[in-house]
Amino acid sequence: MKQRIIAGNWKMNTRRSEAMLLIESIRHGVDARQIPSSIDVVICPPFLWLENAIEACMGNPALHRSSRSTVRCGAQDCHHEASGAYTGDVSAQMLADIGCTDVIVGHSERRLYHGETNALIARKILAAHAAGLRPIVCVGESAHEREHGATRAVITQQLDELVTGAGSAALNSCIVAYEPLWAIGTGVAASPEQAQDVHALIREQLTAVGAASTPLLYGGSVTAQNAPSLFACPDIDGALIGGASLSADSFLTIIDAAVSAWAE
Ligand code: PEP
């Protein structure tokens, strides 16, 4: 069964009360729908709201209490070491301990504002796997790189360095998100043709290292309006959604588009 994923990245947004309302609205919306098990819904709130989100969506792992809902909860980042003197950081194991299932690694905002390299991101993939989390690994080119015809070279290099650092087997148990930097938060999504072109390249490269079935998400200004045409692309298996995941209505409409595209 091919796994599809609709994931929301809330970034550093929401006050506590807003977050709780949003979690409840998404959970109710998902529970009210018939979402096949081949489609995962994941929300990635800020660290501080994660435990509440997990309790609302999945139950309380410490009390072995589980909820009926199928909304998974992921973090937006984790540290590459298991523990130690890393003030302010959060390990993958800590996330797993509270019941997180997924973690975004290598988001372009982490690469840009925190200097994260492919070598470091590869270590985060390994740390996530060691803790039993599923990494959502982001790759993507800048506007400048695309304008200079370097998109394919940039993506190839990112994947090569991730495979070198984490090993090809690790990429087999990841989700890869193609997120062109020029599309993130700009309101200008890649066209389905542009996205499919890069997804086909990523598929080809992952197939060459034995990771043909790794789900590939598109991210960058996905909306309720453009989701259906993106989901019609053969190598797009879901979406990583920023802005539109902060509204329960638009996030649920994107989930509906996924169900229409992929329900078997
Ligand atoms: C993101 O940051 O992962 C993202 C895709 O953001 P947006 O949907 O707002 O472009």
Side-chain angles (χ1 to χ4, degrees):
M1 179 176 69
K2 202 166 186 191
Q3 200 60 40
R4 324 285 185 158
I5 295 107
I6 301 298
N9 172 14
W10 296 7
K11 310 193 184 191
M12 197 174 71
N13 291 304
T14 66
R15 299 284 301 269
R16 183 187 171 89
S17 56
E18 293 166 332
M20 295 311 122
L21 273 176
L22 186 52
I23 291 161
E24 282 302 330
S25 310
I26 291 171
R27 186 180 71 90
H28 279 124
V30 168
D31 288 351
R33 287 163 165 76
Q34 297 291 322
I35 299 181
S37 59
S38 58
I39 301 177
D40 285 345
V41 176
V42 187
I43 55 170
C44 302
F47 283 130
L48 283 175
W49 316 147
L50 260 175
E51 211 165 353
N52 290 103
I54 289 161
E55 177 129 21
C57 294
M58 304 170 69
N60 186 328
L63 301 177
H64 304 287
R65 207 171 63 212
S66 65
S67 136
R68 284 177 306 106
S69 177
T70 51
V71 179
R72 298 163 64 105
C73 296
Q76 299 172 18
D77 182 42
C78 67
H79 198 268
H80 60 279
E81 292 288 355
S83 62
Y86 301 103
T87 303
D89 280 314
V90 175
S91 76
Q93 189 58 60
M94 292 170 184
L95 296 168
D97 281 353
I98 62 164
C100 245
T101 53
D102 297 71
V103 60
I104 299 171
V105 296
H107 191 281
S108 60
E109 287 150 15
R110 301 286 318 172
R111 292 173 182 262
L112 192 62
Y113 305 132
H114 298 267
E116 294 195 2
T117 61
N118 292 314
L120 180 79
I121 295 158
R123 295 185 68 185
K124 292 188 178 205
I125 293 174
L126 295 175
H129 279 153
L133 300 179
R134 183 172 63 168
I136 303 175
V137 186
C138 302
V139 296
E141 82 288 2
S142 67
H144 179 82
E145 289 161 342
R146 176 163 282 265
E147 280 152 21
H148 288 79
T151 300
R152 296 176 79 83
V154 168
I155 302 294
T156 300
Q157 185 176 354
Q158 288 173 337
L159 288 173
D160 278 352
E161 291 182 9
L162 291 170
V163 169
T164 301
S168 45
L171 268 291
N172 210 5
S173 320
C174 288
I175 296 166
V176 171
Y178 168 54
E179 296 212 314
L181 276 61
W182 47 271
I184 296 180
T186 59
V188 182
S191 67
E193 295 72 23
Q194 287 172 318
Q196 169 56 31
D197 186 47
V198 178
H199 278 236
L201 169 74
I202 296 173
R203 183 81 71 206
E204 194 181 297
Q205 286 193 249
L206 291 178
T207 301
V209 297
S213 56
T214 295
L216 306 184
L217 313 188
Y218 167 76
S221 296
V222 174
T223 61
Q225 289 70 40
N226 61 26
S229 56
L230 289 162
F231 295 165
C233 298
D235 288 304
I236 294 184
D237 303 319
L240 180 55
I241 303 148
S245 71
L246 291 168
S247 146
D249 278 352
S250 46
F251 192 58
L252 290 165
T253 308
I254 294 170
I255 292 170
D256 288 336
V259 174
S260 310
W262 296 313
E264 277 147 23

